[in-house]
Amino acid sequence: KKKKKKKKKKKKMADQDATRWDITSKIAGNLDRHLVFPLLEFLQTRGIYPEEDIMNSKIELLKNTNMVDFAMDIYRQSHNTEEVPAEMTERRKVVIANLKNLQETAAPIVDFLLDENKVKDLRNDKAYNLKMLQDQYNISQDDIEVLFKFAKFQFECGNYSACADFLVQYRGLCTKLEKSFSALWGKFASEILLQHWNEALEDLNKLQEYIDSKSFSSALAQLQQRIWLIHWSLFVFFNQENGMNFLVDMLMQDRYVNAIQTGAPHMLRYLAAAVIINKKRRNVLKELIKLIKSEKYIYSDPVTEFIICLFVDYDFEGAQKKLKECEAVLANDYFLTACVDDFVENARLFIFETYCRIHETIDMKMLANKLNMDQESAEKWIANLIRNARLNAKIDSQQGTVVMGSQHPGVYEQIVEKTKSLTARTYHLANAVIGSGKVNS
């Protein structure tokens, strides 16, 4: 009984720690409600919140969508009943009535788009297409706007594939820039939910180009668009090859650093994790450390605190403790859960490299303790580093020490390090200048 009580107590404490560092609510506030659903599904599998709370959150999330049948199924499951509230039944009637009405009003343009022979008449000229549709098929601008409403309705029903297809067609015919921009957001959400990551990345790049180059009604409106974009981008970057490169390159631009500092400091978790995991972006580590230091009184978690302990305070004991906490934090984070092993491996390497910079001879037992490994595992790990030419050192097995070689980089390495980000910075600067020119023209 005592053992069971101890286990329950430990689990309760672990769940409290997990919920303490859970930032799902902060992320969800910047997502479309459909994008929040996968996050709730993940939290349900992790079991850090009561099952009833998760089920109620799902129902609340679906309340203002057209996925009424799905909401009813969740209600029946969570309440163990076949009955559903009257408001759900009424909502279902309204959705069906709206669907029939929209199907009738959107029929002319939808029927045209579903006919491959008719679609062949379209050209890469919006003015020609609009005139041709009006003259030959009696399809007006109002009919084209109905297509946008119909696509949005399909999205709210959970029919993301149809929504994406209709929005592609709509953007090809739409002459209103703001409506085309809204349609692009809708298509981006649909591609994410369909897990079409290549298409989603294309939409992400288009949205970023538009947001960074076009003029908005206010600087605040543009800032809000950037804040939304960096949150939505997490789905793409953590499911895309080289995604962490893209994430770091995007978030380290001044305009997106400003967005993080102003309205999304919790995004530092993902930026910090990406830099730790990604060896190709170590050149931004100094800038990242400055950013985390400047924001630590507003936002911090074990991931950002690990960086402060190791690279600012040189507190190796503290870094080791934070690394243990990081494992739990990442495991319970929807976007980072698949990166736990890579993060721990590279974080250990950072601890080791930093420790080696200030010591010539290192006791193996002490090093194993700092890496949170047993001595045999630590020795094998270091031997692999030496073998793979990632470490200039040798192991003295008799003395039980690691003897470090020279750690000073050569002139060539220093030049490479200083010029690594030059191309990327030049590219972003050129885009900013070109974008500014477009807006002014």
Side-chain angles (χ1 to χ4, degrees):
K1 286 184 179 179
K2 286 183 178 180
K3 285 182 179 179
K4 285 183 179 180
K5 284 182 180 180
K6 283 184 179 179
K7 283 183 179 179
K8 284 182 180 179
K9 190 175 180 181
K10 282 184 179 179
K11 187 181 185 303
K12 188 177 180 181
M13 290 176 65
D15 288 348
Q16 286 175 345
D17 286 342
T19 55
R20 177 188 175 191
W21 300 118
D22 178 37
I23 57 175
T24 302
S25 60
K26 291 183 173 68
I27 300 292
N30 292 283
L31 299 176
D32 180 273
R33 62 177 58 244
H34 290 255
L35 295 176
V36 177
F37 204 84
L39 275 62
L40 290 180
E41 293 270 88
F42 172 76
L43 288 177
Q44 188 174 9
T45 63
R46 298 301 301 173
I48 60 175
Y49 291 102
E51 182 80 6
E52 184 181 355
D53 291 354
I54 295 290
M55 298 299 270
N56 289 336
S57 295
K58 285 183 178 182
I59 294 170
E60 187 65 28
L61 194 67
L62 295 170
K63 186 183 289 184
N64 294 320
T65 71
N66 296 333
M67 300 168 71
V68 188
D69 289 340
F70 190 24
M72 286 179 170
D73 289 341
I74 293 174
Y75 183 90
R76 292 188 186 102
Q77 182 185 347
S78 62
H79 291 80
N80 194 26
T81 179
E82 288 301 314
E83 301 295 323
V84 295
E87 62 186 50
M88 283 189 171
T89 306
E90 289 302 313
R91 172 70 178 161
R92 189 175 190 276
K93 291 178 182 177
V94 171
V95 169
I96 291 173
N98 289 340
L99 175 60
K100 288 179 179 178
N101 182 50
L102 265 176
Q103 283 176 331
E104 289 176 8
T105 54
I109 184 66
V110 171
D111 290 345
F112 172 85
L113 294 172
L114 293 177
D115 190 323
E116 292 183 9
N117 292 324
K118 291 179 180 179
V119 170
K120 288 178 182 176
D121 292 337
L122 294 173
R123 298 180 184 177
N124 193 23
D125 183 337
K126 287 187 181 182
Y128 169 83
N129 290 336
L130 293 174
K131 189 173 186 309
M132 183 270 292
L133 288 171
Q134 180 68 65
D135 294 346
Q136 296 185 29
Y137 300 99
N138 197 30
I139 295 174
S140 66
Q141 282 271 22
D142 290 340
D143 292 320
I144 292 169
E145 288 306 312
V146 170
L147 179 63
F148 178 82
K149 293 179 182 178
F150 189 60
K152 190 174 188 303
F153 193 91
Q154 293 294 328
F155 181 85
E156 293 298 342
C157 290
N159 190 356
Y160 307 122
S161 182
C163 174
D165 291 341
F166 286 138
L167 288 178
V168 168
Q169 300 289 358
Y170 173 77
R171 293 189 72 239
L173 297 169
C174 176
T175 56
K176 299 175 182 177
L177 195 59
E178 287 188 9
K179 291 297 290 289
S180 181
F181 180 53
S182 296
L184 184 55
W185 272 109
K187 181 175 179 296
F188 184 35
S190 299
E191 301 294 5
I192 289 172
L193 290 160
L194 291 166
Q195 298 185 13
H196 293 168
W197 303 121
N198 290 334
E199 291 83 353
L201 181 60
E202 289 178 15
D203 292 339
L204 169 60
N205 290 332
K206 289 176 185 175
L207 284 166
Q208 185 180 356
E209 183 181 356
Y210 182 96
I211 293 168
D212 290 345
S213 63
K214 303 300 178 185
S215 58
F216 285 79
S217 57
S218 68
L220 186 60
Q222 187 177 41
L223 176 66
Q224 184 60 67
Q225 292 286 334
R226 286 195 180 118
I227 291 172
W228 287 336
L229 188 66
I230 59 178
H231 284 85
W232 292 38
S233 72
L234 294 175
F235 289 95
V236 182
F237 290 144
F238 284 104
N239 286 286
Q240 183 78 26
E241 188 178 357
N242 296 320
M244 289 196 193
N245 289 347
F246 300 145
L247 177 113
V248 174
D249 292 344
M250 178 181 175
L251 297 191
M252 288 306 293
Q253 295 177 51
D254 290 343
R255 61 192 70 174
Y256 288 96
V257 167
N258 180 46
I260 290 171
Q261 291 176 312
T262 306
H266 50 273
M267 290 295 292
L268 287 172
R269 171 183 296 184
Y270 302 103
L271 181 55
V275 172
I276 291 291
I277 293 168
N278 192 355
K279 301 176 183 69
K280 294 179 180 177
R281 291 298 180 269
R282 285 192 174 189
N283 55 302
V284 303
L285 185 58
K286 289 181 181 178
E287 294 174 58
L288 175 64
I289 293 168
K290 288 179 185 177
L291 180 58
I292 290 174
K293 279 177 67 179
S294 69
E295 298 299 310
K296 71 177 182 178
Y297 297 109
I298 298 172
Y299 176 81
S300 67
D301 64 25
V303 180
T304 62
E305 289 167 358
F306 169 79
I307 287 179
I308 293 292
C309 282
L310 186 58
F311 297 110
V312 178
D313 300 334
Y314 294 101
D315 178 3
F316 296 100
E317 297 295 330
Q320 180 190 323
K321 290 177 182 176
K322 291 300 173 187
L323 182 54
K324 285 182 181 178
E325 292 177 20
C326 286
E327 290 187 57
V329 170
L330 269 62
N332 290 305
D333 188 295
Y334 174 83
F335 299 103
L336 295 171
T337 189
C339 305
V340 177
D341 291 341
D342 285 341
F343 182 89
V344 171
E345 172 70 14
N346 285 284
R348 279 176 175 163
L349 185 57
F350 268 118
I351 293 173
F352 183 66
E353 288 178 347
T354 306
Y355 194 78
C356 289
R357 287 195 197 104
I358 53 178
H359 295 85
E360 291 183 1
T361 303
I362 306 164
D363 180 74
M364 188 68 75
K365 284 184 182 178
M366 184 170 62
L367 186 59
N369 183 53
K370 293 190 182 300
L371 295 172
N372 195 28
M373 302 168 75
D374 60 72
Q375 187 171 342
E376 185 180 351
S377 298
E379 189 168 338
K380 286 179 181 177
W381 186 73
I382 294 166
N384 284 331
L385 289 180
I386 296 170
R387 191 180 301 115
N388 295 328
R390 293 166 66 189
L391 180 67
N392 183 13
K394 61 181 181 179
I395 296 173
D396 187 334
S397 299
Q398 289 184 341
Q399 298 295 324
T401 59
V402 179
V403 182
M404 302 305 303
S406 173
Q407 297 295 308
H408 303 294
V411 175
Y412 174 76
E413 285 80 2
Q414 291 182 50
I415 293 172
V416 169
E417 184 63 29
K418 288 182 179 180
T419 57
K420 267 181 182 177
S421 61
L422 188 59
T423 303
R425 287 179 177 275
T426 304
Y427 172 77
H428 295 313
L429 180 61
N431 271 354
V433 172
I434 292 168
S436 178
K438 285 180 181 178
V439 171
N440 293 332
S441 62

